PDB file of all heavy atoms in Angstrom:
ATOM      1  N   SER A1213      -6.770   8.671   1.994  1.00 98.00           N
ATOM      2  CA  SER A1213      -7.989   8.010   1.528  1.00 98.00           C
ATOM      3  C   SER A1213      -7.740   6.517   1.326  1.00 98.00           C
ATOM      4  O   SER A1213      -6.628   6.107   0.989  1.00 98.00           O
ATOM      5  CB  SER A1213      -8.409   8.679   0.214  1.00 98.00           C
ATOM      6  OG  SER A1213      -9.448   7.987  -0.409  1.00 98.00           O
ATOM      7  N   GLY A1214      -8.774   5.710   1.521  1.00 95.00           N
ATOM      8  CA  GLY A1214      -8.634   4.252   1.355  1.00 95.00           C
ATOM      9  C   GLY A1214      -7.993   3.637   2.585  1.00 95.00           C
ATOM     10  O   GLY A1214      -8.156   4.120   3.704  1.00 95.00           O
ATOM     11  N   GLY A1215      -7.223   2.574   2.379  1.00 94.00           N
ATOM     12  CA  GLY A1215      -6.579   1.895   3.517  1.00 94.00           C
ATOM     13  C   GLY A1215      -5.465   2.752   4.097  1.00 94.00           C
ATOM     14  O   GLY A1215      -4.769   3.439   3.364  1.00 94.00           O
ATOM     15  N   ASP A1216      -5.300   2.720   5.409  1.00 96.00           N
ATOM     16  CA  ASP A1216      -4.202   3.487   6.021  1.00 96.00           C
ATOM     17  C   ASP A1216      -2.885   2.737   5.814  1.00 96.00           C
ATOM     18  O   ASP A1216      -2.870   1.526   5.600  1.00 96.00           O
ATOM     19  CB  ASP A1216      -4.463   3.724   7.514  1.00 96.00           C
ATOM     20  CG  ASP A1216      -4.585   2.429   8.279  1.00 96.00           C
ATOM     21  OD1 ASP A1216      -5.458   1.613   7.921  1.00 96.00           O
ATOM     22  OD2 ASP A1216      -3.797   2.201   9.214  1.00 96.00           O
ATOM     23  N   TYR A1245     -12.382  11.238   1.334  1.00 98.00           N
ATOM     24  CA  TYR A1245     -13.337  12.001   0.512  1.00 98.00           C
ATOM     25  C   TYR A1245     -14.609  12.341   1.279  1.00 98.00           C
ATOM     26  O   TYR A1245     -15.296  13.303   0.959  1.00 98.00           O
ATOM     27  CB  TYR A1245     -13.683  11.208  -0.764  1.00 98.00           C
ATOM     28  CG  TYR A1245     -12.545  11.141  -1.757  1.00 98.00           C
ATOM     29  CD1 TYR A1245     -12.168   9.939  -2.345  1.00 98.00           C
ATOM     30  CD2 TYR A1245     -11.841  12.289  -2.121  1.00 98.00           C
ATOM     31  CE1 TYR A1245     -11.124   9.871  -3.257  1.00 98.00           C
ATOM     32  CE2 TYR A1245     -10.789  12.232  -3.033  1.00 98.00           C
ATOM     33  CZ  TYR A1245     -10.447  11.023  -3.594  1.00 98.00           C
ATOM     34  OH  TYR A1245      -9.403  10.967  -4.501  1.00 98.00           O
ATOM     35  N   ALA A1275     -10.981   7.048   5.177  1.00 93.00           N
ATOM     36  CA  ALA A1275     -12.327   6.477   5.083  1.00 93.00           C
ATOM     37  C   ALA A1275     -12.548   5.935   3.688  1.00 93.00           C
ATOM     38  O   ALA A1275     -11.817   6.259   2.758  1.00 93.00           O
ATOM     39  CB  ALA A1275     -13.373   7.558   5.376  1.00 93.00           C
ATOM     40  N   ARG A1276     -13.553   5.083   3.565  1.00 94.00           N
ATOM     41  CA  ARG A1276     -14.087   4.724   2.251  1.00 94.00           C
ATOM     42  C   ARG A1276     -15.357   5.571   2.111  1.00 94.00           C
ATOM     43  O   ARG A1276     -16.080   5.753   3.089  1.00 94.00           O
ATOM     44  CB  ARG A1276     -14.448   3.245   2.190  1.00 94.00           C
ATOM     45  CG  ARG A1276     -13.379   2.364   2.841  1.00 94.00           C
ATOM     46  CD  ARG A1276     -12.518   1.621   1.868  1.00 94.00           C
ATOM     47  NE  ARG A1276     -11.562   0.785   2.577  1.00 94.00           N
ATOM     48  CZ  ARG A1276     -10.369   0.443   2.100  1.00 94.00           C
ATOM     49  NH1 ARG A1276      -9.972   0.880   0.928  1.00 94.00           N
ATOM     50  NH2 ARG A1276      -9.575  -0.328   2.781  1.00 94.00           N
ATOM     51  N   CYS A1277     -15.614   6.112   0.939  1.00 97.00           N
ATOM     52  CA  CYS A1277     -16.730   7.051   0.796  1.00 97.00           C
ATOM     53  C   CYS A1277     -17.523   6.729  -0.459  1.00 97.00           C
ATOM     54  O   CYS A1277     -17.048   6.949  -1.575  1.00 97.00           O
ATOM     55  CB  CYS A1277     -16.171   8.479   0.736  1.00 97.00           C
ATOM     56  SG  CYS A1277     -17.401   9.711   0.294  1.00 97.00           S
ATOM     57  N   GLU A1278     -18.715   6.174  -0.284  1.00 97.00           N
ATOM     58  CA  GLU A1278     -19.560   5.796  -1.418  1.00 97.00           C
ATOM     59  C   GLU A1278     -20.013   7.013  -2.219  1.00 97.00           C
ATOM     60  O   GLU A1278     -20.068   6.988  -3.446  1.00 97.00           O
ATOM     61  CB  GLU A1278     -20.783   4.996  -0.932  1.00 97.00           C
ATOM     62  CG  GLU A1278     -20.468   3.542  -0.607  1.00 97.00           C
ATOM     63  CD  GLU A1278     -19.709   2.833  -1.720  1.00 97.00           C
ATOM     64  OE1 GLU A1278     -20.180   2.859  -2.876  1.00 97.00           O
ATOM     65  OE2 GLU A1278     -18.629   2.269  -1.448  1.00 97.00           O
ATOM     66  N   PHE A1280     -18.633   9.714  -3.007  1.00 98.00           N
ATOM     67  CA  PHE A1280     -17.669  10.295  -3.945  1.00 98.00           C
ATOM     68  C   PHE A1280     -17.639   9.520  -5.271  1.00 98.00           C
ATOM     69  O   PHE A1280     -17.116   9.996  -6.269  1.00 98.00           O
ATOM     70  CB  PHE A1280     -16.265  10.324  -3.315  1.00 98.00           C
ATOM     71  CG  PHE A1280     -15.337  11.312  -3.966  1.00 98.00           C
ATOM     72  CD1 PHE A1280     -15.423  12.670  -3.667  1.00 98.00           C
ATOM     73  CD2 PHE A1280     -14.376  10.902  -4.883  1.00 98.00           C
ATOM     74  CE1 PHE A1280     -14.583  13.593  -4.271  1.00 98.00           C
ATOM     75  CE2 PHE A1280     -13.520  11.814  -5.488  1.00 98.00           C
ATOM     76  CZ  PHE A1280     -13.625  13.162  -5.188  1.00 98.00           C
ATOM     77  N   ARG A1281     -18.224   8.333  -5.281  1.00 98.00           N
ATOM     78  CA  ARG A1281     -18.287   7.560  -6.524  1.00 98.00           C
ATOM     79  C   ARG A1281     -19.318   8.126  -7.493  1.00 98.00           C
ATOM     80  O   ARG A1281     -19.377   7.717  -8.647  1.00 98.00           O
ATOM     81  CB  ARG A1281     -18.642   6.096  -6.213  1.00 98.00           C
ATOM     82  CG  ARG A1281     -17.547   5.368  -5.450  1.00 98.00           C
ATOM     83  CD  ARG A1281     -18.008   3.976  -5.068  1.00 98.00           C
ATOM     84  NE  ARG A1281     -16.998   3.310  -4.264  1.00 98.00           N
ATOM     85  CZ  ARG A1281     -15.998   2.588  -4.775  1.00 98.00           C
ATOM     86  NH1 ARG A1281     -15.912   2.411  -6.067  1.00 98.00           N
ATOM     87  NH2 ARG A1281     -15.107   2.033  -3.976  1.00 98.00           N
ATOM     88  N   ARG A1286     -19.396  14.194  -5.962  1.00 98.00           N
ATOM     89  CA  ARG A1286     -18.185  14.959  -6.303  1.00 98.00           C
ATOM     90  C   ARG A1286     -18.504  16.434  -6.482  1.00 98.00           C
ATOM     91  O   ARG A1286     -17.681  17.303  -6.199  1.00 98.00           O
ATOM     92  CB  ARG A1286     -17.532  14.368  -7.566  1.00 98.00           C
ATOM     93  CG  ARG A1286     -16.963  12.969  -7.331  1.00 98.00           C
ATOM     94  CD  ARG A1286     -16.088  12.509  -8.470  1.00 98.00           C
ATOM     95  NE  ARG A1286     -16.816  12.237  -9.692  1.00 98.00           N
ATOM     96  CZ  ARG A1286     -17.407  11.075  -9.997  1.00 98.00           C
ATOM     97  NH1 ARG A1286     -17.363  10.062  -9.146  1.00 98.00           N
ATOM     98  NH2 ARG A1286     -18.043  10.914 -11.143  1.00 98.00           N
ATOM     99  N   GLY A1305      -3.204   8.043  -1.197  1.00 98.00           N
ATOM    100  CA  GLY A1305      -4.050   6.849  -1.140  1.00 98.00           C
ATOM    101  C   GLY A1305      -3.671   5.837  -2.200  1.00 98.00           C
ATOM    102  O   GLY A1305      -2.606   5.938  -2.821  1.00 98.00           O
ATOM    103  N   GLY A1306      -4.582   4.898  -2.435  1.00 96.00           N
ATOM    104  CA  GLY A1306      -4.334   3.821  -3.394  1.00 96.00           C
ATOM    105  C   GLY A1306      -5.051   4.065  -4.714  1.00 96.00           C
ATOM    106  O   GLY A1306      -5.538   5.171  -4.981  1.00 96.00           O
ATOM    107  N   ASP A1307      -5.153   3.015  -5.529  1.00 95.00           N
ATOM    108  CA  ASP A1307      -5.672   3.239  -6.881  1.00 95.00           C
ATOM    109  C   ASP A1307      -7.148   3.619  -6.895  1.00 95.00           C
ATOM    110  O   ASP A1307      -7.578   4.370  -7.768  1.00 95.00           O
ATOM    111  CB  ASP A1307      -5.369   2.051  -7.804  1.00 95.00           C
ATOM    112  CG  ASP A1307      -6.072   0.790  -7.362  1.00 95.00           C
ATOM    113  OD1 ASP A1307      -6.481   0.708  -6.191  1.00 95.00           O
ATOM    114  OD2 ASP A1307      -6.203  -0.122  -8.200  1.00 95.00           O
ATOM    115  N   GLY A1308      -7.930   3.147  -5.928  1.00 96.00           N
ATOM    116  CA  GLY A1308      -9.331   3.580  -5.839  1.00 96.00           C
ATOM    117  C   GLY A1308      -9.414   5.080  -5.634  1.00 96.00           C
ATOM    118  O   GLY A1308     -10.192   5.785  -6.294  1.00 96.00           O
ATOM    119  N   SER A1309      -8.580   5.590  -4.744  1.00 98.00           N
ATOM    120  CA  SER A1309      -8.561   7.035  -4.483  1.00 98.00           C
ATOM    121  C   SER A1309      -8.187   7.807  -5.746  1.00 98.00           C
ATOM    122  O   SER A1309      -8.729   8.882  -6.007  1.00 98.00           O
ATOM    123  CB  SER A1309      -7.546   7.351  -3.379  1.00 98.00           C
ATOM    124  OG  SER A1309      -7.860   6.618  -2.219  1.00 98.00           O
ATOM    125  N   PHE A1310      -7.282   7.236  -6.541  1.00 98.00           N
ATOM    126  CA  PHE A1310      -6.866   7.921  -7.773  1.00 98.00           C
ATOM    127  C   PHE A1310      -7.949   7.841  -8.853  1.00 98.00           C
ATOM    128  O   PHE A1310      -8.078   8.749  -9.676  1.00 98.00           O
ATOM    129  CB  PHE A1310      -5.543   7.350  -8.302  1.00 98.00           C
ATOM    130  CG  PHE A1310      -4.376   7.546  -7.359  1.00 98.00           C
ATOM    131  CD1 PHE A1310      -3.219   6.801  -7.496  1.00 98.00           C
ATOM    132  CD2 PHE A1310      -4.442   8.474  -6.315  1.00 98.00           C
ATOM    133  CE1 PHE A1310      -2.148   6.977  -6.625  1.00 98.00           C
ATOM    134  CE2 PHE A1310      -3.385   8.649  -5.435  1.00 98.00           C
ATOM    135  CZ  PHE A1310      -2.231   7.898  -5.590  1.00 98.00           C
ATOM    136  N   LYS A1311      -8.738   6.763  -8.847  1.00 98.00           N
ATOM    137  CA  LYS A1311      -9.869   6.700  -9.787  1.00 98.00           C
ATOM    138  C   LYS A1311     -10.833   7.844  -9.501  1.00 98.00           C
ATOM    139  O   LYS A1311     -11.297   8.537 -10.400  1.00 98.00           O
ATOM    140  CB  LYS A1311     -10.621   5.365  -9.638  1.00 98.00           C
ATOM    141  CG  LYS A1311      -9.961   4.229 -10.368  1.00 98.00           C
ATOM    142  CD  LYS A1311     -10.770   2.942 -10.207  1.00 98.00           C
ATOM    143  CE  LYS A1311      -9.886   1.769 -10.568  1.00 98.00           C
ATOM    144  NZ  LYS A1311     -10.251   0.515  -9.935  1.00 98.00           N
ATOM    145  N   GLY A1312     -11.131   8.033  -8.208  1.00 98.00           N
ATOM    146  CA  GLY A1312     -12.025   9.127  -7.807  1.00 98.00           C
ATOM    147  C   GLY A1312     -11.437  10.477  -8.168  1.00 98.00           C
ATOM    148  O   GLY A1312     -12.134  11.358  -8.695  1.00 98.00           O
ATOM    149  N   LEU A1315     -11.702  11.140 -11.966  1.00 98.00           N
ATOM    150  CA  LEU A1315     -13.055  11.539 -12.364  1.00 98.00           C
ATOM    151  C   LEU A1315     -13.338  12.979 -11.938  1.00 98.00           C
ATOM    152  O   LEU A1315     -13.902  13.772 -12.696  1.00 98.00           O
ATOM    153  CB  LEU A1315     -14.096  10.606 -11.718  1.00 98.00           C
ATOM    154  CG  LEU A1315     -14.153   9.194 -12.311  1.00 98.00           C
ATOM    155  CD1 LEU A1315     -15.050   8.299 -11.470  1.00 98.00           C
ATOM    156  CD2 LEU A1315     -14.664   9.258 -13.749  1.00 98.00           C
ATOM    157  N   GLY A1329      -0.028   5.761  -1.545  1.00 98.00           N
ATOM    158  CA  GLY A1329       0.051   5.325  -0.153  1.00 98.00           C
ATOM    159  C   GLY A1329      -0.791   4.086   0.043  1.00 98.00           C
ATOM    160  O   GLY A1329      -2.020   4.167   0.086  1.00 98.00           O
ATOM    161  N   THR A1330      -0.157   2.939   0.079  1.00 96.00           N
ATOM    162  CA  THR A1330      -0.844   1.676   0.351  1.00 96.00           C
ATOM    163  C   THR A1330       0.220   0.632   0.668  1.00 96.00           C
ATOM    164  O   THR A1330       1.273   0.615   0.023  1.00 96.00           O
ATOM    165  CB  THR A1330      -1.716   1.202  -0.846  1.00 96.00           C
ATOM    166  OG1 THR A1330      -2.062  -0.177  -0.650  1.00 96.00           O
ATOM    167  CG2 THR A1330      -1.009   1.331  -2.177  1.00 96.00           C
ATOM    168  N   ASP A1332       0.185  -2.337  -0.080  1.00 95.00           N
ATOM    169  CA  ASP A1332       0.205  -3.420  -1.076  1.00 95.00           C
ATOM    170  C   ASP A1332       1.228  -3.237  -2.195  1.00 95.00           C
ATOM    171  O   ASP A1332       1.505  -4.188  -2.924  1.00 95.00           O
ATOM    172  CB  ASP A1332      -1.189  -3.560  -1.711  1.00 95.00           C
ATOM    173  CG  ASP A1332      -2.213  -4.078  -0.722  1.00 95.00           C
ATOM    174  OD1 ASP A1332      -1.821  -4.854   0.170  1.00 95.00           O
ATOM    175  OD2 ASP A1332      -3.391  -3.694  -0.824  1.00 95.00           O
ATOM    176  N   ASP A1334       0.857  -1.991  -5.052  1.00 95.00           N
ATOM    177  CA  ASP A1334       0.246  -2.511  -6.284  1.00 95.00           C
ATOM    178  C   ASP A1334      -0.139  -1.414  -7.262  1.00 95.00           C
ATOM    179  O   ASP A1334      -1.026  -1.599  -8.088  1.00 95.00           O
ATOM    180  CB  ASP A1334      -0.995  -3.350  -5.920  1.00 95.00           C
ATOM    181  CG  ASP A1334      -2.028  -2.532  -5.150  1.00 95.00           C
ATOM    182  OD1 ASP A1334      -1.726  -1.400  -4.731  1.00 95.00           O
ATOM    183  OD2 ASP A1334      -3.152  -3.040  -4.967  1.00 95.00           O
ATOM    184  N   ARG A1460      -0.627  -3.403   9.044  1.00 96.00           N
ATOM    185  CA  ARG A1460      -0.900  -2.014   8.675  1.00 96.00           C
ATOM    186  C   ARG A1460      -0.339  -1.009   9.670  1.00 96.00           C
ATOM    187  O   ARG A1460      -0.204   0.173   9.347  1.00 96.00           O
ATOM    188  CB  ARG A1460      -2.413  -1.772   8.628  1.00 96.00           C
ATOM    189  CG  ARG A1460      -3.061  -2.236   7.389  1.00 96.00           C
ATOM    190  CD  ARG A1460      -4.450  -1.615   7.298  1.00 96.00           C
ATOM    191  NE  ARG A1460      -5.203  -2.194   6.220  1.00 96.00           N
ATOM    192  CZ  ARG A1460      -5.063  -1.845   4.950  1.00 96.00           C
ATOM    193  NH1 ARG A1460      -4.211  -0.921   4.604  1.00 96.00           N
ATOM    194  NH2 ARG A1460      -5.786  -2.425   4.027  1.00 96.00           N
TER     195      ARG A1460
HETATM  196  P1  ATP B2774      -6.159   0.726  -0.751  1.00 50.74           P
HETATM  197  O1  ATP B2774      -5.349   0.280  -1.937  1.00 50.74           O
HETATM  198  O2  ATP B2774      -5.360   0.860   0.477  1.00 50.74           O
HETATM  199  O3  ATP B2774      -7.441  -0.045  -0.579  1.00 50.74           O
HETATM  200  P2  ATP B2774      -7.627   2.703  -2.207  1.00 50.74           P
HETATM  201  O4  ATP B2774      -7.418   4.144  -2.423  1.00 50.74           O
HETATM  202  O5  ATP B2774      -7.533   1.822  -3.423  1.00 50.74           O
HETATM  203  O6  ATP B2774      -6.624   2.246  -1.078  1.00 50.74           O
HETATM  204  P3  ATP B2774     -10.513   2.353  -2.094  1.00 50.74           P
HETATM  205  O7  ATP B2774     -11.387   2.006  -0.970  1.00 50.74           O
HETATM  206  O8  ATP B2774     -10.540   1.506  -3.320  1.00 50.74           O
HETATM  207  O9  ATP B2774      -9.030   2.467  -1.491  1.00 50.74           O
HETATM  208  O10 ATP B2774     -10.846   3.854  -2.562  1.00 50.74           O
HETATM  209  C1  ATP B2774     -10.899   4.910  -1.624  1.00 50.74           C
HETATM  210  C2  ATP B2774     -12.034   5.825  -1.967  1.00 50.74           C
HETATM  211  O11 ATP B2774     -11.839   6.377  -3.299  1.00 50.74           O
HETATM  212  C3  ATP B2774     -13.398   5.155  -2.057  1.00 50.74           C
HETATM  213  O12 ATP B2774     -14.001   5.005  -0.792  1.00 50.74           O
HETATM  214  C4  ATP B2774     -14.172   6.123  -2.936  1.00 50.74           C
HETATM  215  O13 ATP B2774     -14.576   7.264  -2.206  1.00 50.74           O
HETATM  216  C5  ATP B2774     -13.090   6.564  -3.922  1.00 50.74           C
HETATM  217  N1  ATP B2774     -13.192   5.718  -5.133  1.00 50.74           N
HETATM  218  C6  ATP B2774     -12.727   4.461  -5.297  1.00 50.74           C
HETATM  219  N2  ATP B2774     -13.027   4.003  -6.536  1.00 50.74           N
HETATM  220  C7  ATP B2774     -13.715   4.987  -7.152  1.00 50.74           C
HETATM  221  C8  ATP B2774     -14.315   5.129  -8.435  1.00 50.74           C
HETATM  222  N3  ATP B2774     -14.279   4.141  -9.337  1.00 50.74           N
HETATM  223  N4  ATP B2774     -14.956   6.297  -8.710  1.00 50.74           N
HETATM  224  C9  ATP B2774     -14.997   7.302  -7.819  1.00 50.74           C
HETATM  225  N5  ATP B2774     -14.446   7.232  -6.592  1.00 50.74           N
HETATM  226  C10 ATP B2774     -13.826   6.095  -6.260  1.00 50.74           C
END
Side-chain angles (χ1 to χ4, degrees):
S1213 171
D1216 60 302
Y1245 289 132
R1276 317 255 182 208
C1277 171
E1278 282 310 307
F1280 201 79
R1281 293 175 184 272
R1286 293 192 291 274
D1307 64 341
S1309 303
F1310 297 162
K1311 279 181 197 154
L1315 288 171
T1330 165
D1332 292 329
D1334 59 350
R1460 280 195 189 280

